[in-house]
Amino acid sequence: MTASLILVINCGSSSIKCSLFDHEQDHEILSALGERIGSTEATLKWTHDGKKHTVDLGQADHQQALGKVIEAMQSVGIKPQQLLAAGHRVVHGGEAFSASVAITPEVLATIDQLANLAPLHNPANAQGIRALQALFPDLPQVAVFDTAFHQSLPAAAYTYALPYHFYSELGVRRYGFHGTSHRYVSAEAVKRLDLDPDDHRIITAHLGNGCSACAVKNGQSLDTTMGLTPLEGLVMGTRCGDIDPSLHEFLARRLDLSLQDVTAILNKESGLLGISGLSNDMRTLVQAADDGHVQANLALEVFCYRLAKSVAGLAVATGGIDALVFTGGIGENAAGVRERVVTQLHWLGLNLDVTANLSHGRDQMGLVSTTHEPAVMVIPTREEWMIAQDTLTLSQTQWDQ
Ligand code: ADP
């Protein structure tokens, strides 16, 4: 039996998301989502061949949930021996990782240490790695970092104007996130537009619940909007993005809040939700704005203005724009958001094709502008597939010697 399956795992503190790819067929053959792990009501939803299944997990931990994913695979005739390797999404690679790596004990120890930069994410990611190692000690595993693509940022882009020892001693700098998505959609734009791999300038906007934009020149990230944490930059579903750093003290003093209280507000009660007072969901806001909801419309205006301003700012890093690429749930589906953003960037030569934009460029390979140069594109992100690709490449070079 040839092993051709790659298991992609994205492990959160109370969730686990898995995608199974067959590299010989280049598509996802099974997906699974475990939720409320660690509580008494954990569930696993999985899909194979268009059929959806739900399994009650009771009080499962990550390892037990992964065990159930393997059982789900077996129940549809997929054998564990068919697994070639597993790839894990790891949020923070700090300055230690500028590309995906094969997981060794040293790599895992470094991921553990980087928990000081991503205390909510890296421990959960490491837990997923250990859980799979316990189930399959000999299966090659790969780590793919959200931050790695942005390790090419020059010091001028990643340095905060703070006392320098905060960087040298504590690692306080801009790291950026969503790297796998920015890397995938920018490379895809190069292919679709037939741009020179060594001479192109692309701005990518990943707009999901979290949002970030990135300046990509000749395949390298030169600047991005997220920083030390994913709170910096664009307006997001519930995160505020850029604010005056004095706000922490102002709110703490005026409302008698702790630093942690303010941080929680900025992360969970701000952004689209905070401005609209209605929802963090773009679909709800678009509908409400159409129905005359003033704050929903304001939330959209702030979201789009800030994004347009960031795109123009990122063009300083690239020295111009050959293509602006939208991706993520909002970027791929919200035609009105794209229209508001591109209209504000008309002076940069960006012109939307209104009809193509309404159909998300589906019949034009994602092209939604009237011109190719510069182009505006909608490219659905494929982070899991990208993780599978890196895993395949590393498993062939690292372990097959
Ligand atoms: P995550 O960051 O959790 O992966 P997604 O990439 O799925 O999030 O994006 C979620 C966002 O995409 C939500 O704000 C949602 O409202 C928005 N979205 C999804 N479909 C549409 C649509 N048809 N029109 C507008 N917004 C949409």
PDB file of all heavy atoms in Angstrom, residues 38 56 74 163 181 204 241 248 285 292 305 307 322-323 345 351 365 381:
ATOM      1  N   GLY A  38     -12.130  19.586  25.942  1.00  0.00           N
ATOM      2  CA  GLY A  38     -11.771  19.964  27.316  1.00  0.00           C
ATOM      3  C   GLY A  38     -13.010  20.182  28.165  1.00  0.00           C
ATOM      4  O   GLY A  38     -12.943  20.142  29.396  1.00  0.00           O
ATOM      5  N   ASP A  56     -20.441  12.564  19.204  1.00  0.00           N
ATOM      6  CA  ASP A  56     -20.340  13.116  20.549  1.00  0.00           C
ATOM      7  C   ASP A  56     -19.029  12.643  21.168  1.00  0.00           C
ATOM      8  O   ASP A  56     -18.765  11.440  21.175  1.00  0.00           O
ATOM      9  CB  ASP A  56     -21.529  12.558  21.362  1.00  0.00           C
ATOM     10  CG  ASP A  56     -21.967  13.548  22.384  1.00  0.00           C
ATOM     11  OD1 ASP A  56     -21.157  14.436  22.693  1.00  0.00           O
ATOM     12  OD2 ASP A  56     -23.113  13.431  22.865  1.00  0.00           O
ATOM     13  N   GLN A  74     -11.041   5.528   9.251  1.00  0.00           N
ATOM     14  CA  GLN A  74     -11.119   4.070   9.054  1.00  0.00           C
ATOM     15  C   GLN A  74     -12.529   3.631   8.665  1.00  0.00           C
ATOM     16  O   GLN A  74     -12.699   2.705   7.882  1.00  0.00           O
ATOM     17  CB  GLN A  74     -10.658   3.352  10.325  1.00  0.00           C
ATOM     18  CG  GLN A  74      -9.144   3.454  10.492  1.00  0.00           C
ATOM     19  CD  GLN A  74      -8.663   2.892  11.820  1.00  0.00           C
ATOM     20  OE1 GLN A  74      -9.145   3.289  12.879  1.00  0.00           O
ATOM     21  NE2 GLN A  74      -7.725   1.968  11.756  1.00  0.00           N
ATOM     22  N   PRO A 163      12.482  51.836  23.130  1.00  0.00           N
ATOM     23  CA  PRO A 163      13.871  51.562  23.536  1.00  0.00           C
ATOM     24  C   PRO A 163      14.334  50.237  22.914  1.00  0.00           C
ATOM     25  O   PRO A 163      13.617  49.229  23.008  1.00  0.00           O
ATOM     26  CB  PRO A 163      13.776  51.469  25.057  1.00  0.00           C
ATOM     27  CG  PRO A 163      12.597  52.335  25.397  1.00  0.00           C
ATOM     28  CD  PRO A 163      11.618  52.155  24.270  1.00  0.00           C
ATOM     29  N   SER A 181      -1.395  32.283   4.116  1.00  0.00           N
ATOM     30  CA  SER A 181      -2.400  32.782   3.177  1.00  0.00           C
ATOM     31  C   SER A 181      -1.796  33.831   2.238  1.00  0.00           C
ATOM     32  O   SER A 181      -1.987  33.772   1.013  1.00  0.00           O
ATOM     33  CB  SER A 181      -3.573  33.385   3.959  1.00  0.00           C
ATOM     34  OG  SER A 181      -4.520  33.907   3.072  1.00  0.00           O
ATOM     35  N   THR A 204      -1.576  41.989  -0.810  1.00  0.00           N
ATOM     36  CA  THR A 204      -2.615  40.998  -0.522  1.00  0.00           C
ATOM     37  C   THR A 204      -3.405  41.443   0.696  1.00  0.00           C
ATOM     38  O   THR A 204      -2.827  41.967   1.663  1.00  0.00           O
ATOM     39  CB  THR A 204      -1.978  39.621  -0.258  1.00  0.00           C
ATOM     40  OG1 THR A 204      -0.921  39.777   0.701  1.00  0.00           O
ATOM     41  CG2 THR A 204      -1.387  39.025  -1.520  1.00  0.00           C
ATOM     42  N   GLY A 241      -7.563  46.779  15.759  1.00  0.00           N
ATOM     43  CA  GLY A 241      -6.473  47.217  14.886  1.00  0.00           C
ATOM     44  C   GLY A 241      -5.765  48.413  15.501  1.00  0.00           C
ATOM     45  O   GLY A 241      -5.795  48.601  16.730  1.00  0.00           O
ATOM     46  N   HIS A 248      -4.963  52.613  26.434  1.00  0.00           N
ATOM     47  CA  HIS A 248      -4.970  51.696  27.582  1.00  0.00           C
ATOM     48  C   HIS A 248      -5.073  52.487  28.891  1.00  0.00           C
ATOM     49  O   HIS A 248      -5.934  52.237  29.723  1.00  0.00           O
ATOM     50  CB  HIS A 248      -3.689  50.853  27.599  1.00  0.00           C
ATOM     51  CG  HIS A 248      -3.906  49.460  27.109  1.00  0.00           C
ATOM     52  ND1 HIS A 248      -3.765  49.104  25.801  1.00  0.00           N
ATOM     53  CD2 HIS A 248      -4.266  48.329  27.776  1.00  0.00           C
ATOM     54  CE1 HIS A 248      -4.033  47.814  25.659  1.00  0.00           C
ATOM     55  NE2 HIS A 248      -4.340  47.329  26.852  1.00  0.00           N
ATOM     56  N   LEU A 285     -23.722  42.970   8.653  1.00  0.00           N
ATOM     57  CA  LEU A 285     -23.501  44.420   8.567  1.00  0.00           C
ATOM     58  C   LEU A 285     -23.864  44.973   7.193  1.00  0.00           C
ATOM     59  O   LEU A 285     -24.441  46.063   7.090  1.00  0.00           O
ATOM     60  CB  LEU A 285     -22.039  44.745   8.890  1.00  0.00           C
ATOM     61  CG  LEU A 285     -21.614  44.416  10.321  1.00  0.00           C
ATOM     62  CD1 LEU A 285     -20.179  44.817  10.552  1.00  0.00           C
ATOM     63  CD2 LEU A 285     -22.531  45.104  11.334  1.00  0.00           C
ATOM     64  N   GLY A 292     -30.359  50.731   6.245  1.00  0.00           N
ATOM     65  CA  GLY A 292     -30.305  52.061   6.836  1.00  0.00           C
ATOM     66  C   GLY A 292     -29.730  52.140   8.243  1.00  0.00           C
ATOM     67  O   GLY A 292     -29.808  53.173   8.903  1.00  0.00           O
ATOM     68  N   TYR A 305     -12.057  52.283   4.667  1.00  0.00           N
ATOM     69  CA  TYR A 305     -11.115  53.405   4.608  1.00  0.00           C
ATOM     70  C   TYR A 305      -9.756  52.985   5.173  1.00  0.00           C
ATOM     71  O   TYR A 305      -8.702  53.244   4.581  1.00  0.00           O
ATOM     72  CB  TYR A 305     -11.670  54.608   5.384  1.00  0.00           C
ATOM     73  CG  TYR A 305     -10.663  55.723   5.557  1.00  0.00           C
ATOM     74  CD1 TYR A 305     -10.197  56.440   4.460  1.00  0.00           C
ATOM     75  CD2 TYR A 305     -10.138  56.018   6.817  1.00  0.00           C
ATOM     76  CE1 TYR A 305      -9.238  57.436   4.610  1.00  0.00           C
ATOM     77  CE2 TYR A 305      -9.188  57.017   6.980  1.00  0.00           C
ATOM     78  CZ  TYR A 305      -8.736  57.714   5.876  1.00  0.00           C
ATOM     79  OH  TYR A 305      -7.787  58.687   6.018  1.00  0.00           O
ATOM     80  N   LEU A 307      -8.536  50.027   5.406  1.00  0.00           N
ATOM     81  CA  LEU A 307      -7.887  49.056   4.518  1.00  0.00           C
ATOM     82  C   LEU A 307      -7.262  49.784   3.323  1.00  0.00           C
ATOM     83  O   LEU A 307      -6.104  49.527   2.970  1.00  0.00           O
ATOM     84  CB  LEU A 307      -8.900  48.002   4.053  1.00  0.00           C
ATOM     85  CG  LEU A 307      -8.414  47.009   3.014  1.00  0.00           C
ATOM     86  CD1 LEU A 307      -7.152  46.286   3.469  1.00  0.00           C
ATOM     87  CD2 LEU A 307      -9.500  45.984   2.699  1.00  0.00           C
ATOM     88  N   ASP A 322       1.384  45.970  -8.897  1.00  0.00           N
ATOM     89  CA  ASP A 322       0.979  45.236 -10.107  1.00  0.00           C
ATOM     90  C   ASP A 322      -0.365  44.570  -9.880  1.00  0.00           C
ATOM     91  O   ASP A 322      -1.134  44.402 -10.819  1.00  0.00           O
ATOM     92  CB  ASP A 322       2.019  44.168 -10.463  1.00  0.00           C
ATOM     93  CG  ASP A 322       3.363  44.780 -10.814  1.00  0.00           C
ATOM     94  OD1 ASP A 322       3.373  45.846 -11.465  1.00  0.00           O
ATOM     95  OD2 ASP A 322       4.398  44.222 -10.402  1.00  0.00           O
ATOM     96  N   ALA A 323      -0.612  44.156  -8.625  1.00  0.00           N
ATOM     97  CA  ALA A 323      -1.892  43.504  -8.336  1.00  0.00           C
ATOM     98  C   ALA A 323      -2.271  43.704  -6.878  1.00  0.00           C
ATOM     99  O   ALA A 323      -1.411  43.667  -5.990  1.00  0.00           O
ATOM    100  CB  ALA A 323      -1.815  42.012  -8.642  1.00  0.00           C
ATOM    101  N   LEU A 345      -8.910  53.822  -4.071  1.00  0.00           N
ATOM    102  CA  LEU A 345      -7.539  53.656  -4.567  1.00  0.00           C
ATOM    103  C   LEU A 345      -7.445  53.921  -6.071  1.00  0.00           C
ATOM    104  O   LEU A 345      -6.448  53.589  -6.709  1.00  0.00           O
ATOM    105  CB  LEU A 345      -7.046  52.230  -4.256  1.00  0.00           C
ATOM    106  CG  LEU A 345      -6.884  51.928  -2.770  1.00  0.00           C
ATOM    107  CD1 LEU A 345      -6.677  50.437  -2.534  1.00  0.00           C
ATOM    108  CD2 LEU A 345      -5.721  52.727  -2.185  1.00  0.00           C
ATOM    109  N   ASN A 351      -8.886  50.079 -11.107  1.00  0.00           N
ATOM    110  CA  ASN A 351     -10.237  50.298 -11.631  1.00  0.00           C
ATOM    111  C   ASN A 351     -11.016  49.001 -11.596  1.00  0.00           C
ATOM    112  O   ASN A 351     -10.628  48.019 -12.241  1.00  0.00           O
ATOM    113  CB  ASN A 351     -10.172  50.780 -13.086  1.00  0.00           C
ATOM    114  CG  ASN A 351      -9.790  52.241 -13.147  1.00  0.00           C
ATOM    115  OD1 ASN A 351     -10.457  53.094 -12.567  1.00  0.00           O
ATOM    116  ND2 ASN A 351      -8.690  52.511 -13.827  1.00  0.00           N
ATOM    117  N   MET A 365     -10.780  33.976 -13.919  1.00  0.00           N
ATOM    118  CA  MET A 365      -9.604  33.575 -13.127  1.00  0.00           C
ATOM    119  C   MET A 365      -9.371  34.520 -11.952  1.00  0.00           C
ATOM    120  O   MET A 365      -8.240  34.774 -11.555  1.00  0.00           O
ATOM    121  CB  MET A 365      -8.340  33.590 -14.001  1.00  0.00           C
ATOM    122  CG  MET A 365      -8.370  32.628 -15.156  1.00  0.00           C
ATOM    123  SD  MET A 365      -8.071  30.954 -14.587  1.00  0.00           S
ATOM    124  CE  MET A 365      -6.301  31.019 -14.284  1.00  0.00           C
ATOM    125  N   THR A 381      -8.341  31.722  -0.572  1.00  0.00           N
ATOM    126  CA  THR A 381      -7.131  31.220   0.081  1.00  0.00           C
ATOM    127  C   THR A 381      -7.231  29.717   0.271  1.00  0.00           C
ATOM    128  O   THR A 381      -8.330  29.144   0.317  1.00  0.00           O
ATOM    129  CB  THR A 381      -6.885  31.945   1.416  1.00  0.00           C
ATOM    130  OG1 THR A 381      -5.548  31.656   1.840  1.00  0.00           O
ATOM    131  CG2 THR A 381      -7.867  31.537   2.503  1.00  0.00           C
TER     132      THR A 381
END
